[in-house]
Structures are given as C-alpha cells and as structure tokens.
Amino acid sequence: MSMKTELVFLSYGKLTRQIKKLEPLYPEVKFIIIEVTLEDVLNVVLDYQKRQSDCVFIVSGANASIIKNSDRVKKPFVEIRSTGYDLLKV
C-alpha cells in the first residue's frame, strides 16, 4: 500500500477556505489543515515534526517568517505569498 504525500497547512480562516477548495483536485495528496495563531505556530510545527516523519509544511505571512527564522524546524516548508489581489478575491 502506498502512502499519500502529506501536506500540512498552517492556516487561518480565509486561507483554510481556499485550501479546502483545492483538496478534491488532488486525491493523491493527504491535506492536513491546522488552524494556528502566531503565538502557537512554532510549537505546533515542532510537535508535529516529532510525530510525523514525512511531511511538508505549507505556511503564509507571519507564520512563514517565524518558521523561516527558526533553526529548530527540520522539515521542509513552502511559503504561500499573498498579494493585495488575493485578498480582494476572497
């Protein structure tokens, strides 16, 4: 049995709605969506990477900055960059 690729989205309200729209388009990928605050994002990532050996974090905004500046995050991550146009579409 093959394992699905696991993407861990560290998200918030509006971004979560957009991610959920994409999920059905990629059945071969396991989407994990964690609603997280700035104060908790680093602890959530560190806890998750202890428990899960194979994942990629998807983050945006200030959450991305926190992860990028931490030498304790060992898993790969991808930063989603939003523009003013993105905010208008939501």
Side-chain angles (χ1 to χ4, degrees), residues 23-41:
E23 191 172 7
L25 303 175
Y26 300 95
E28 69 281 2
V29 178
K30 183 174 181 181
F31 281 53
I32 305 295
I33 302 170
I34 302 173
E35 296 264 341
V36 64
T37 63
L38 287 175
E39 296 80 22
D40 295 331
V41 69

Side-chain angles (χ1 to χ4, degrees), residues 40-59:
D40 295 331
V41 69
L42 187 57
N43 287 331
V44 168
V45 168
L46 295 175
D47 181 57
Y48 200 89
Q49 78 179 5
K50 280 184 209 173
R51 295 181 288 115
Q52 182 62 25
S53 62
D54 195 21
C55 66
V56 175
F57 293 107
I58 312 293
V59 295

Side-chain angles (χ1 to χ4, degrees), residues 13-23 89-90:
K14 290 181 181 180
L15 180 59
T16 297
R17 288 193 298 272
Q18 296 303 315
I19 294 165
K20 287 182 177 184
K21 290 178 187 176
L22 292 173
E23 191 172 7
K89 283 183 62 177
V90 176

